[in-house]
Amino acid sequence: MEKFLNAWRPRVLSVVRMVSAFLFMQHGGQKLFGFPAAPRGEFDLFSLSGVAGVLELFGGALLLLGLFTRPVAFVLSGLMAFAYFIAHAPRDFWPLNNGGELAIMFCFTFFYLVFAGGGSWSLDCLRAGRR
């Protein structure tokens, strides 16, 4: 069983990366285009929310493809840490009460990708010539 699980580890890492990126991109789409949900407030591209939206959508797309996974994941992890401490932590100490659980999960999922890479189903892997 251990051999089977270890053999699938790089592929499952790719699936976790892709699903996380797809979910993350929705936040950018909401901010920039009002899709798939209506924006939560006024939008200004040259605001913190505007920059976050661009990073969420385009950084998420790069992660979805597995292109430049490590540096992009580093930037997005930092973005989510920043978002947590700016928008959520001031509301309450506990993430459940301040609505910051998702920001923390994205932060640490992306932080893990900095070290783990994109997995075997990524453009990074294809560019490096390995499978």
Side-chain angles (χ1 to χ4, degrees):
M1 185 65 154
E2 188 77 19
K3 186 176 178 181
F4 172 80
L5 294 174
N6 284 336
W8 275 88
R9 184 184 323 170
R11 295 176 197 119
V12 173
L13 170 61
S14 292
V15 171
V16 169
R17 173 187 45 80
M18 289 185 278
V19 170
S20 298
F22 176 73
L23 294 173
F24 193 65
M25 288 174 64
Q26 293 179 60
H27 294 275
Q30 177 187 27
K31 288 180 181 86
L32 297 175
F33 306 116
F35 179 82
R40 294 185 180 171
E42 290 293 318
F43 178 74
D44 176 14
L45 184 60
F46 299 103
S47 66
L48 286 176
S49 180
V51 172
V54 170
L55 287 172
E56 289 164 351
L57 186 63
F58 295 102
L62 288 172
L63 276 188
L64 183 66
L65 297 171
L67 185 61
F68 309 116
T69 301
R70 292 174 194 261
V72 169
F74 181 78
V75 170
L76 297 182
S77 177
L79 172 68
M80 289 291 82
F82 182 75
Y84 180 79
F85 286 108
I86 294 297
H88 299 284
R91 294 184 201 158
D92 193 276
F93 176 78
W94 298 107
L96 184 62
N97 294 335
N98 68 29
E101 313 97 321
L102 194 53
I104 293 171
M105 286 299 298
F106 278 130
C107 178
F108 282 93
T109 300
F110 297 151
F111 190 64
Y112 174 71
L113 292 176
V114 172
F115 295 92
S120 58
W121 295 335
S122 68
L123 291 179
D124 289 337
C125 187
L126 191 62
R127 287 176 52 228
R130 53 185 202 278
R131 191 85 179 108

